[in-house]
């Protein structure tokens, strides 16, 4: 439509208003002052914009459109207007629903980000059960697992990045801001899910707190850091206290260490001594010149100086006493360590003697145990030989039984055949006889075959027997060899 009426795009910059005006005008030739009230409605009661459209249509440089093209453009414009109206309805529904379900969370974050958090968690109760650390990273799970695999820095924020607070914060403060916001979100969710009649009062207060935190991070935090860096940078090497180190962001972060008491006392004593020496030098100069004290204040100062001197002497004496006490404690510790070492040496010597005695006793016990084991082994050998004999006898009996059984089976088969032949008719008998003759002929042919096959079978049987005999000899030799070895050891 820009080719047909190019001036309209520069006048109506909003897409929705552009589509509404397009549906009203359709063709730029139809524009006239009669349509002015309708144009004002389409442009949200903007009379100046409506006038500009009418004047631009008169001086337009666009080309004419065909009816088919114009119809397609109008259909598309209608769809855009319908979708925008539907979007507004959805927005109103979402606002009403979120204010009723989670009023504190909506007051803190806004309905859009709050709804996204609830939908991502699954429900308000599951979001309330989650800790602040998980709420902070909700929506950035993929980045989290990627960082854990690569062992790099984990993400600082997920869906919370869309909130206005984090968008307003500086790049270096976004991580701190997201942590603070996640904590407040966790509290708001729990109030909404577990209170019987939730109100937006807590959410509004937390919203103000987050805004204050944002302002503090922008202004106060930077001022504090600059002041701290100056104060710690100017500190001398003798002063014990706070060490300055430079962080990742290039800012100086104070690693506040607790100042040591002795070093602080020493600094005080040194200051007092320097003051005393300065005052004493002034007094000596006056006395040399013959100048007396002008007033009572100078006399009081001299008395105070003497008192301070006495205090310093007492403190020095106390320090010496403490040093002596420490030396005594160190000596006692050394003596205790030496005593413990001597006791360990004595215990080790006693342990060695007892081990030697135990070793002698163990040797005697081992000899007795060996004798008993040898007796048992002899008995076991005898019992094994007897068992083998019994097994051989049982095998022979089994072979005899199997031979008898085979003979009985053959006899039974013959009897059965004879009974069958008696039952058969003459014709059947003749057919059976013919079959028997054929079988006999085959057997004869097989018998007439070369005797090499029989010789091969006999050779195989002989080989098997030889192998058995060799295996039996080896077993016997091994049993005898083990007995001889044991006898030698004994």
């Amino acid at each position: 439509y820009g080719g047909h009426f190019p001036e309209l795009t520069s006048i109506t910059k909003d897409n929705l208003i552009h589509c509404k005006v397009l549906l009203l005008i359709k063709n730029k030739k139809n524009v006239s002052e009669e349509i002015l009230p309708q144009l004002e409605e389409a442009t949200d009661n903007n009379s100046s914009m409506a006038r500009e459209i009418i004047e631009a249509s008169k001086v337009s440089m666009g080309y004419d459109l065909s009816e088919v093209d114009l119809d397609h453009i109008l259909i598309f414009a209608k769809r855009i207007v319908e979708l925008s109206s539907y979007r507004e309805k959805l927005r109103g529904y979402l606002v009403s629903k979120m204010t009723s379900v989670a009023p504190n969370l909506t007051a803190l974050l806004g309905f859009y980000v709050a709804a996204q958090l609830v939908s991502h968690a699954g429900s308000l109760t599951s979001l309330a059960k989650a800790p602040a650390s998980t709420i902070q990273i909700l929506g950035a799970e993929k980045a989290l697992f990627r960082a854990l695999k690569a062992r790099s820095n984990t993400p600082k924020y997920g869906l919370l990045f869309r909130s206005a607070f984090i968008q307003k914060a500086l790049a270096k403060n976004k991580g701190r801001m997201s942590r603070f916001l996640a904590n407040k979100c966790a509290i708001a969710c729990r109030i909404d899910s577990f209170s019987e009649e939730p109100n937006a009062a807590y959410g509004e207060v937390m919203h103000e707190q987050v805004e204050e935190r944002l302002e503090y991070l922008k202004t106060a935090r930077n001022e504090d850091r600059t002041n701290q860096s100056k104060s710690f940078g100017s500190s001398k090497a003798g002063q014990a206290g706070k060490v300055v180190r430079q962080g990742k962001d290039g800012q100086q972060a104070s690693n506040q260490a607790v100042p040591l008491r002795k070093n602080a006392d020493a600094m005080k004593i040194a200051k007092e001594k320097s003051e005393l020496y300065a005052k004493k030098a002034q007094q000596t100069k006056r006395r040399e010149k013959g100048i007396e004290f002008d007033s009572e204040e100078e006399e009081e100062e001299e008395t105070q100086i003497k008192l301070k001197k006495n205090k310093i002497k007492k403190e020095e004496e106390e320090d010496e006493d403490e040093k002596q006490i420490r030396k005594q404690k160190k000596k006692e510790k050394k003596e205790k360590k030496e005593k413990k070492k001597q006791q360990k040496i004595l215990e080790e010597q006693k342990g060695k003697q007892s081990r030697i005695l135990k070793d002698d006793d163990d040797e005697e016990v081992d000899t007795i145990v060996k004798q008993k084991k040898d007796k048992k082994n002899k008995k076991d050998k005898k019992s094994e030989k007897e068992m083998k004999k019994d097994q051989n006898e049982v095998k022979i009996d089994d072979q005899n039984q199997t031979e008898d059984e085979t003979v009985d089976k053959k006899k039974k088969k013959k009897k059965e055949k004879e009974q069958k032949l008696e039952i058969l008719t003459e014709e059947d008998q003749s057919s059976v006889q013919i079959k028997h003759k054929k079988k006999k002929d085959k057997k004869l042919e097989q018998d007439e075959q070369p005797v090499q096959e029989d010789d091969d079978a006999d050779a195989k049987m002989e080989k098997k027997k030889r192998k058995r005999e060799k295996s039996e000899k080896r077993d016997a030799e091994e049993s005898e060899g083990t007995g001889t070895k044991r006898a030698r050891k004994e």
Side-chain angles (χ1 to χ4, degrees), residues 84-172:
S84 65
S85 64
Y86 178 61
R87 188 184 178 188
E88 284 176 0
K89 284 179 185 176
L90 271 176
R91 188 177 180 284
Y93 167 74
L94 220 170
V95 170
S96 65
K97 198 77 176 171
M98 287 304 292
T99 48
S100 62
V101 172
N104 291 302
L105 218 166
T106 50
L108 209 177
L109 289 172
F111 73 95
Y112 184 66
V113 179
Q116 279 185 331
L117 277 172
V118 172
S119 68
H120 195 84
S123 64
L124 209 159
T125 51
S126 61
L127 211 169
K129 286 173 187 175
S133 57
T134 52
I135 291 166
Q136 186 182 345
I137 300 165
L138 267 178
E141 288 86 2
K142 199 180 281 185
L144 203 171
F145 293 120
R146 197 191 303 124
L148 290 171
K149 273 186 181 178
R151 292 183 181 177
S152 59
N153 293 327
T154 52
K156 293 174 185 175
Y157 31 68
L159 291 167
L160 286 175
F161 184 75
R162 295 174 184 177
S163 67
F165 297 116
I166 291 165
Q167 293 293 331
K168 287 176 188 176
L170 296 168
K172 63 185 178 182

Side-chain angles (χ1 to χ4, degrees), residues 252-388:
Q252 286 182 344
S254 62
N255 186 9
Q256 294 182 4
V258 178
L260 294 167
R261 184 181 161 189
K262 286 185 179 178
N263 290 337
D265 292 336
M267 290 296 290
K268 283 180 184 178
I269 290 161
K271 280 181 183 180
E272 288 174 357
K273 278 183 178 180
S274 63
E275 288 173 1
L276 286 169
Y277 287 130
K279 286 179 180 179
K280 206 171 187 182
Q282 287 177 2
Q283 287 175 8
T284 51
K285 282 178 182 179
R286 281 183 179 180
R287 281 171 185 168
E288 284 173 359
K289 290 176 182 179
I291 299 163
E292 294 181 355
F293 294 110
D294 296 331
S295 62
E296 293 178 356
E297 290 179 359
E298 290 180 355
E299 290 178 0
E300 287 178 359
E301 285 178 0
E302 192 176 359
T303 53
Q304 285 177 0
I305 288 161
K306 287 178 181 178
L307 291 168
K308 283 182 180 179
K309 278 183 181 179
N310 294 325
K311 277 184 183 179
I312 289 160
K313 284 180 182 178
K314 285 179 182 179
E315 287 174 356
E316 287 175 353
E317 287 174 359
E318 287 176 357
D319 291 332
E320 288 177 357
D321 293 333
E322 285 178 359
K323 285 178 182 178
Q324 288 177 359
I325 290 160
R326 284 176 188 169
K327 285 179 181 179
Q328 287 178 359
K329 284 181 179 179
K330 283 181 181 178
K331 284 181 181 179
E332 287 175 357
K333 283 181 181 179
K334 284 181 181 178
E335 288 174 357
K336 284 180 180 179
K337 284 181 181 179
E338 288 176 355
K339 284 180 181 179
K340 283 181 180 179
K341 284 181 182 178
Q342 289 175 0
Q343 285 177 359
K344 282 182 181 180
I345 291 160
L346 291 168
E347 286 175 358
E348 287 176 358
Q349 288 175 358
K350 288 178 181 178
K352 285 179 182 177
Q353 289 176 0
S354 61
R355 282 172 193 167
I356 291 160
L357 294 168
K358 282 182 181 178
D359 292 332
D360 296 333
D361 296 332
D362 291 332
E363 287 176 357
E364 290 176 359
V365 171
D366 289 331
T367 52
I368 293 159
V369 171
K370 281 181 182 178
Q371 290 174 3
K372 287 181 179 180
K373 282 183 179 179
D374 294 332
K375 286 179 182 178
K376 282 185 180 180
N377 289 325
K378 286 178 183 178
K379 287 180 182 178
D380 292 331
K381 283 180 184 177
K382 286 179 182 179
S383 61
E384 283 177 0
K385 286 179 182 178
E386 289 174 357
M387 288 287 286
K388 283 181 180 178

